[in-house]
Amino acid sequence: MFTRRNVVKGGAASVLSGLLASSLWAKGPKAPNIIFILADDLGYADLSVFGREDFETPNLDRLAASGMALTRSYANSSVCSPTRLALMTGQYQYRYPGGLDEPLGVDPTLGLPADVLTFPDLLKKAGYDTSLVGKWHLGGLPEFGPLKSGYDRFWGIYQGGADYFDHGMTIHSKFTHDLWDGEKEIHRQGYLTDLITNQSLRELKHFKARQNPFLLSVHYTAPHWPWEGPEDEEIAAEIKNSFHYDGGNNATYAAMVKSLDDGVGRIMDALYANGQADNTIIVFTSDNGGERFSKIWPFRGMKGELLEGGIRVPTIFHWPGHIPAGTTSDLPNMTMDWVPTLLAAAGIEARDQIPLDGINLLPNLLSKTTGQDRTLFWRHNAQNQSAAAKGSWKYLSMSGHEFLFDLAADPREVANLKDKHPDIFTNLKSSFAKWNKEMLPYPENSFSYEFRGKGNIAGY
């Protein structure tokens, strides 16, 4: 499942035993800086360090070699906006109307409300500078936006995707430009992945001058469609619909991922050049599972599905002096867990300020222990999907059919064991039903994705 060919084998876990009290995380000369890098539609095995073989991702491999690769990381959703809402709140996204699946933007009244206390809000209250570069996709102006939800600065796109050269969406022959500096529309030339990287480097210089601890959220649009590599500007000019499902190829996808990898490398190099690296946490992950050209082996399924390929994501956690280099963890974790985890690293007690569904992963990651025996839940309106996972067992309901899988023995989710293990099946199904009663119901007229072929969905 996970290849160590680019990961330095290392230990040093013994130095961690004294770091397990959350009050100690930020006792150094300065609270740790945080860079959260979020890819868009990146498949579980799309990094060479996670198993991609037809192209290399040397910079992300380097990040894993100096930190920890998490091999059982899950996105909060199999589609984009709900996961991003969970990342902002540390909660299951289904607690909010804006988290009831995509595409967010069809209903202009939905988004992340400005009065909801968020992850960047809490860091800002603790003296952090906060900046988001890249994709927002949690509601549009004038009611919603990053500057209303805890970020000091924003540079990027508000919607779910954009052409990599025109920086907007073309739908039904109508083009809408979508590139902003804060709440001011701007126009720039260049490949969007590179522009996001360039702006991230400017933010690092700004933070260095300010001398405050910082949160830099780098939310790339890559490798989300339209399928355009850095050298494809002429091809991009011919695309008449941003829902570019019939375009692209494996080579184009490789170029998109490698451009993302190059950007991460430039950010890492700038951290070292600026003297910021030793006190900076870096988290890299994806908002959901892979799309058309992704590699998701050994799983099956893809974006929009609650099979492992739609929700399992590659994740790297880098924290010099705390996370031993070249290590791996199979601790089950979910996007929303990064909120209490990173707040704990910053020395911030969050649970007395906001309700959290996520858990602090630090004690288990730093001590290499298995963690609590928790159950994780998902649902998705398309195909009436629901899922619950506890340990190696996973309950899945999809298109009116129910399954029980043993992920340890059957990661491809082929053998349905619900009749062989009826007690486990019943318990997980009951757990899902109990949890689901706590979440908001889908509205009767809610939009649901239309599938455009086996396992492929139309949407952001």
Side-chain angles (χ1 to χ4, degrees):
M1 180 183 300
F2 180 83
T3 174
R4 298 173 183 242
R5 60 183 176 177
N6 289 305
V7 178
V8 176
K9 293 183 179 179
S14 61
V15 304
L16 304 174
S17 58
L19 297 174
L20 295 183
S22 63
S23 62
L24 297 182
W25 302 146
K27 277 197 173 181
K30 179 180 171 185
N33 307 313
I34 300 169
I35 298 180
F36 199 99
I37 306 175
L38 190 66
D40 199 344
D41 294 359
L42 188 72
Y44 174 80
D46 274 342
L47 308 182
S48 47
V49 71
F50 276 81
R52 193 88 198 198
E53 296 175 341
D54 54 330
F55 61 81
E56 297 287 335
T57 53
N59 294 296
L60 285 160
D61 296 351
R62 173 164 60 109
L63 186 65
S66 59
M68 177 181 286
L70 281 69
T71 60
R72 199 173 176 196
S73 286
Y74 289 103
N76 258 69
S77 175
S78 62
V79 288
C80 170
S81 286
T83 293
R84 293 166 192 270
L85 197 149
L87 178 60
M88 289 289 285
T89 64
Q91 298 173 278
Y92 279 110
Q93 62 275 19
Y94 318 106
R95 297 189 184 280
Y96 299 90
L100 298 179
D101 284 8
E102 287 195 70
L104 195 59
V106 172
D107 184 343
T109 67
L110 293 180
L112 175 59
D115 60 354
V116 172
L117 198 61
T118 65
F119 172 51
D121 275 326
L122 292 175
L123 288 173
K124 191 173 178 179
K125 286 173 60 178
Y128 274 68
D129 287 341
T130 60
S131 179
L132 169 62
V133 180
K135 176 174 169 177
W136 168 243
H137 203 201
L138 288 174
L141 297 171
E143 187 171 354
F144 308 104
L147 301 187
K148 297 173 171 61
S149 291
Y151 286 107
D152 296 313
R153 288 173 307 283
F154 167 66
W155 193 102
I157 69 170
Y158 276 89
Q159 299 305 317
D163 184 276
Y164 286 81
F165 297 95
D166 289 341
H167 315 138
M169 296 280 283
T170 301
I171 302 175
H172 302 307
S173 300
K174 181 181 178 181
F175 176 77
T176 303
H177 183 260
D178 186 24
L179 188 61
W180 303 77
D181 186 346
E183 298 183 355
K184 177 183 177 182
E185 187 176 4
I186 59 173
H187 293 265
R188 297 289 186 272
Q189 289 187 329
Y191 187 67
L192 185 55
T193 303
D194 294 337
L195 293 181
I196 291 172
T197 299
N198 293 342
Q199 184 62 31
S200 298
L201 301 185
R202 295 187 190 99
E203 293 298 322
L204 290 178
K205 288 184 178 180
H206 170 85
F207 295 139
K208 182 179 180 181
R210 289 267 297 170
Q211 294 292 309
N212 292 338
F214 63 80
L215 165 68
L216 175 59
S217 299
V218 185
H219 293 186
Y220 284 102
T221 61
H224 191 290
W225 49 259
W227 315 115
E228 300 166 353
E231 307 301 322
D232 292 339
E233 187 167 6
E234 291 185 6
I235 296 174
E238 299 174 0
I239 296 175
K240 304 303 181 184
N241 190 328
S242 293
F243 293 85
H244 185 43
Y245 301 138
D246 59 345
N249 51 49
N250 287 330
T252 298
Y253 187 77
M256 296 172 75
V257 176
K258 287 192 285 187
S259 177
L260 166 66
D261 181 74
D262 288 344
V264 173
R266 292 177 61 201
I267 290 171
M268 292 169 62
D269 290 344
L271 279 174
Y272 284 100
N274 294 345
Q276 298 164 314
D278 289 343
N279 196 39
T280 298
I281 295 171
I282 303 175
V283 178
F284 176 90
T285 189
S286 179
D287 61 350
N288 48 249
E291 250 271 24
R292 179 180 172 192
F293 300 106
S294 292
K295 181 178 179 181
I296 49 85
W297 183 265
F299 312 118
R300 66 187 180 109
M302 62 187 304
K303 177 182 178 179
E305 296 178 328
L306 297 185
L307 291 160
E308 292 291 286
I311 53 178
R312 190 84 74 101
V313 290
T315 300
I316 301 170
F317 183 34
H318 174 274
W319 191 8
H322 297 269
I323 293 296
T327 54
T328 65
S329 173
D330 60 359
L331 178 71
N333 65 92
M334 212 170 189
T335 310
M336 63 186 178
D337 294 335
W338 290 110
V339 175
T341 299
L342 295 173
L343 290 174
I348 300 169
E349 179 53 56
R351 291 190 181 275
D352 59 351
Q353 302 183 67
I354 58 174
L356 292 169
D357 294 312
I359 66 169
N360 176 12
L361 303 172
L362 284 180
N364 300 116
L365 292 180
L366 298 183
S367 63
K368 296 286 287 183
T369 53
T370 56
Q372 60 182 268
D373 193 17
R374 65 195 292 221
T375 306
L376 301 176
F377 301 99
W378 300 263
R379 65 182 209 197
H380 184 41
N381 212 11
Q383 291 191 318
N384 193 27
Q385 299 175 72
S386 55
K390 183 176 183 180
S392 67
W393 293 103
K394 180 178 175 183
Y395 162 76
L396 176 67
S397 178
M398 193 173 186
S399 299
H401 302 282
E402 293 182 308
F403 308 88
L404 178 69
F405 299 117
D406 180 356
L407 296 176
D410 179 29
R412 289 188 61 74
E413 297 170 286
V414 175
N416 188 359
L417 303 179
K418 70 173 187 174
D419 295 329
K420 189 173 182 180
H421 298 281
D423 291 344
I424 298 174
F425 172 79
T426 300
N427 287 338
L428 278 175
K429 181 178 179 179
S430 298
S431 294
F432 176 85
K434 181 180 179 180
W435 167 84
N436 195 40
K437 288 180 180 179
E438 300 177 8
M439 303 298 123
L440 295 177
Y442 288 119
E444 291 184 5
N445 61 347
S446 65
F447 180 91
S448 178
Y449 283 110
E450 295 297 331
F451 279 71
R452 62 175 196 276
K454 292 183 179 179
N456 218 351
I457 58 172
Y460 286 13

